Amino acid sequence: MAPKGLTFLAVLICVSALSLSPSVAGEGQNNGLVMNFYKESCPQAEDIITEQVKLLYKRHKNTAFSWLRNIFHDCAVQSCDASLLLDSTRRSLSEKETDRSFGLRNFRYIETIKEALERECPGVVSCADILVLSARDGIVSLGGPHIPLKTGRRDGRRSRADVVEQFLPDHNESISAVLDKFGAMGIDTPGVVALLGAHSVGRTHCVKLVHRLYPEIDPALNPDHVPHILKKCPDAIPDPKAVQYVRNDRGTPMILDNNYYRNILDSKGLLIVDHQLANDKRTKPYVKKMAKSQDYFFKEFSRAITLLSENNPLTGTKGEVRKQCNVANKHHDQDP
């Protein structure tokens, strides 16, 4: 008979191994996503996406902003399922054609990436994974951190345009509503503060901020910053055909950094949510901490992007792998 001590040790080892087993602990927590999902079916998949993102960035710098916005607009609306990329049909409006998607662009370059993958591995890599991984690589192009992200998502078959307003946080909502909507995805307060740091890059269209300028200037805006904004947005009702905008960060507009937090603490945030973030007692401590430490910002940003990218994905046999990212495969119009 084995000594009691050895028997206990053997049981402890078995229990420990069981608790670490992916089939027991990992699958439920990971929602079916894994690192390097395509290592057998398409070993070059992630390298191809990275290469394409780099090539596109060299030709069109604004593609990196698009990749970053895509992950937010797709994954925040119920699921990371590339429903954002679907074109409108006779029966359904596309998410990308709703008011909330104003300014989103460069969808054609997602197709460029998809075509490169189809040449290597036809029918294998989902548009949902392309959307997420292009955001990962776009963040790097903008000087941000490399964030290891899991793959294995499948594509939805329907647009979710009818629920965009319900799930997608809005820059004119109260900070409580914004925190609640992100909280429903498992993203806590420091994570929300970090995600909004994406406003460090890109631009804000005048139509989104003229209500802070006309008929009266919002007193919360830094008066030294107002002349620049008025110069960029001279009309109370911007011409919808004119591309009128203000850079989110005049100092480092093409770099994802913590300058955003210093700007909003100095009342230079363009959107209402920027102002609220810097002044609400729940978020201000994290704003100040990120303004002081880019490492802390990157750490929280990486964690929040990971959570966002894993929001309720379709995996296994759910959904499909689209042949083209803007169109669901045939014969599935009525399927969930």
Side-chain angles (χ1 to χ4, degrees), residues 80-292:
C80 277
D81 64 351
S83 58
L84 174 70
L85 305 179
L86 289 170
D87 289 341
S88 292
T89 67
R90 286 176 295 175
R91 282 180 284 183
S92 68
L93 176 70
S94 166
E95 290 171 43
K96 60 189 176 186
E97 292 183 26
T98 64
D99 290 342
R100 292 298 305 281
S101 296
F102 180 82
L104 287 177
R105 53 189 175 154
N106 291 322
F107 293 114
R108 65 188 182 278
Y109 296 130
I110 288 281
E111 293 298 341
T112 301
I113 300 172
K114 176 67 169 172
E115 288 165 7
L117 287 162
E118 288 295 302
R119 287 192 292 271
E120 178 75 15
C121 313
V124 174
V125 182
S126 71
C127 299
D129 277 338
I130 294 171
L131 185 148
V132 165
L133 294 182
S134 62
R136 177 197 67 185
D137 295 334
I139 288 166
V140 173
S141 297
L142 294 167
H146 175 78
I147 308 169
L149 296 177
K150 293 170 183 167
T151 43
R153 297 165 193 79
R154 286 168 64 85
D155 301 322
R157 293 166 177 151
R158 290 183 178 179
S159 166
R160 300 177 188 273
D162 57 330
V163 294
V164 165
E165 291 293 342
Q166 181 183 343
F167 290 94
L168 191 66
D170 183 75
H171 59 84
N172 282 323
E173 289 181 309
S174 69
I175 195 67
S176 293
V178 171
L179 291 173
D180 285 347
K181 285 184 177 180
F182 277 116
M185 297 176 240
I187 301 172
D188 59 13
T189 301
V192 174
V193 174
L195 276 182
L196 289 173
H199 290 173
S200 164
V201 294
R203 60 195 187 180
T204 296
H205 288 267
C206 292
V207 70
K208 299 292 186 181
L209 58 91
V210 287
H211 63 284
R212 301 192 73 190
L213 303 173
Y214 305 98
E216 295 180 352
I217 292 169
D218 185 343
L221 285 168
N222 185 319
D224 294 334
H225 197 45
V226 168
H228 171 72
I229 304 174
L230 287 171
K231 182 180 178 181
K232 295 292 185 179
C233 301
D235 305 310
I237 303 176
D239 180 353
K241 295 181 181 179
V243 182
Q244 294 177 309
Y245 62 86
V246 183
R247 290 286 184 191
N248 290 338
D249 178 359
R250 294 178 68 187
T252 55
M254 301 292 291
I255 300 174
L256 181 68
D257 58 18
N258 65 335
N259 205 37
Y260 164 75
Y261 301 102
R262 291 189 285 271
N263 284 337
I264 65 175
L265 288 170
D266 196 24
S267 300
K268 293 180 180 177
L270 298 176
L271 301 170
I272 294 292
V273 72
D274 300 329
H275 173 70
Q276 293 184 93
L277 203 68
N279 290 278
D280 189 276
K281 64 182 181 181
R282 291 165 291 182
T283 53
K284 187 172 184 177
Y286 300 110
V287 170
K288 293 173 78 172
K289 191 171 180 180
M290 290 180 198
K292 290 179 181 177

Side-chain angles (χ1 to χ4, degrees), residues 299-312:
K299 175 188 156 200
E300 290 298 328
F301 184 77
S302 298
R303 185 174 64 87
I305 286 288
T306 300
L307 289 168
L308 182 62
S309 75
E310 295 179 9
N311 183 36
N312 194 30

Side-chain angles (χ1 to χ4, degrees), residues 69-83:
R69 283 196 72 189
N70 284 349
I71 193 173
F72 170 67
H73 278 260
D74 187 63
C75 294
V77 182
Q78 285 194 313
S79 171
C80 277
D81 64 351
S83 58

Side-chain angles (χ1 to χ4, degrees), residues 43-56:
Q44 300 301 314
E46 296 200 24
D47 289 339
I48 290 170
I49 293 171
T50 299
E51 179 186 16
Q52 288 295 318
V53 167
K54 286 179 178 177
L55 288 171
L56 287 164

